[in-house]
């Protein structure tokens, strides 16, 4: 008698598997002490907790068949990718269009303060789902377009391969929202150091996982051992 076990998922021929990693936690914003800017974007380094998260990401992914690592132009993605790149002997490629959404006049860390204080522009952004509601901010659609272009190109460069893309929370949300044809806001809130998994073909994008963070703590807390 023939036996038919339940099959495992297999990527379609020619597909690229993208492992999206949100960067580790960055240092706090201190009122009146803006972060340095790189190409107009706030560019804070990782905190001690963020460096710990980067090590956990490396431990989680080092046994996967990773062909390449890509980072944005912002230092927090470089620092997050560094432990994994060192273990695998890979040099991360820099893709500037993987950078975080531009927050306009609220760049340099000021957005964190405005969000905590309930600034009207932040409330409007949340109501409309459009980052462009922030003064001078990049629109949600512009973010989607530039990040999708990068992923389509990288996927074309890596058929039948797995690559790691270390990027930002807004970028993860934009890409997963695009994949399922839904507003990206449903994918906001990914944890620092979390992993999401996309399979990209010319015909469709397949979401395999979102916000996988078992390597950095439980489901109920974002407090990691190094910071209490």
């Amino acid at each position: 008698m023939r036996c038919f076990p339940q099959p495992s998922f297999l990527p379609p021929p020619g597909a690229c598997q993208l492992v999206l990693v949100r960067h580790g936690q960055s240092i706090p914003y201190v009122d009146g002490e803006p972060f340095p800017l790189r190409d107009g974007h706030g560019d804070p380094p990782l905190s001690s907790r963020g460096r710990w998260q980067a090590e956990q990401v490396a431990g989680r992914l080092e046994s996967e068949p990773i062909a390449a690592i890509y980072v944005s132009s912002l230092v927090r993605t470089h620092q997050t990718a560094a432990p994994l790149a060192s273990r695998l002997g890979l040099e991360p490629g820099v893709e500037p269009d993987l950078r975080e959404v531009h927050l306009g006049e609220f760049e340099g860390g000021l957005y964190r303060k405005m969000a905590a204080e309930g600034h009207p522009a932040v409330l409007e952004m949340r109501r409309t789902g459009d980052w462009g509601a922030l003064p001078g901010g990049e629109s949600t659609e512009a973010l989607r377009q530039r990040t999708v272009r990068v992923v389509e190109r990288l996927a074309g460069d890596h058929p039948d391969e797995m690559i790691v893309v270390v990027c930002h929370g807004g970028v993860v949300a934009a890409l997963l929202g695009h994949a399922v044809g839904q507003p990206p806001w449903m994918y906001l809130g990914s944890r620092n150091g979390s992993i999401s998994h996309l399979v990209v073909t010319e015909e469709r994008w397949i979401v395999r996982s979102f916000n996988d963070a078992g390597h950095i703590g439980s489901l109920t807390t974002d407090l990691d051992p190094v910071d209490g």
Side-chain angles (χ1 to χ4, degrees):
M1 181 177 296
R2 295 178 65 190
C3 179
F4 298 91
Q6 186 174 21
S8 299
F9 173 83
L10 292 175
C16 176
Q17 297 193 65
L18 269 81
V19 180
L20 301 174
V21 177
R22 187 185 179 196
H23 63 79
Q25 182 196 63
S26 59
I27 62 172
Y29 170 72
V30 177
D31 198 6
E33 299 179 13
F35 298 140
L37 298 180
R38 180 181 296 271
D39 299 325
H41 288 253
D43 196 26
L46 295 185
S47 66
S48 60
R49 176 179 168 191
R51 294 192 296 272
W52 177 85
Q53 289 166 335
E55 292 290 346
Q56 307 318 301
V57 169
R60 176 71 182 276
L61 294 178
E62 65 179 330
S63 62
E64 299 292 342
I66 296 166
I69 301 172
Y70 293 93
V71 296
S72 81
S73 52
L74 302 177
V75 69
R76 53 197 184 272
T77 64
H78 294 236
Q79 292 175 331
T80 302
L84 178 63
S86 176
R87 297 188 194 195
L88 298 181
L90 295 173
E91 180 69 26
V94 179
E95 293 287 344
D97 277 346
L98 290 173
R99 67 192 179 279
E100 183 60 290
V101 63
H102 190 263
L103 301 174
E105 294 178 15
F106 292 171
E107 270 297 349
L110 185 59
Y111 173 78
R112 299 185 189 181
K113 176 184 176 182
M114 297 302 164
E117 295 179 350
H119 190 283
V122 175
L123 298 180
E124 179 67 5
M125 176 269 292
R126 291 172 176 166
R127 185 187 70 81
T128 61
D130 187 1
W131 290 105
L134 302 179
E138 182 179 17
S139 72
T140 296
E141 177 59 16
L143 172 66
R144 185 193 69 81
Q145 289 184 14
R146 70 167 163 87
T147 55
V148 167
R149 283 195 299 268
V150 175
V151 164
E152 289 177 338
R153 175 167 51 80
L154 293 179
D157 291 342
H158 294 279
D160 298 311
E161 292 183 333
M162 175 181 287
I163 64 174
V164 169
V165 173
V166 183
C167 54
H168 306 266
V171 174
V172 172
L175 294 174
L176 295 185
H178 174 81
V180 300
Q182 294 294 324
W185 296 92
M186 65 187 295
Y187 287 108
L188 279 179
S190 58
R191 292 172 63 180
N192 292 111
S194 65
I195 294 168
S196 299
H197 184 191
L198 269 177
V199 175
V200 177
T201 73
E202 290 187 3
E203 293 77 25
R204 60 177 176 150
W205 292 22
I206 304 166
V207 177
R208 295 290 292 153
S209 67
F210 166 62
N211 200 31
D212 178 352
H215 50 291
I216 55 172
S218 73
L219 295 174
T220 57
T221 180
D222 273 332
L223 295 179
D224 295 324
V226 294
D227 285 315

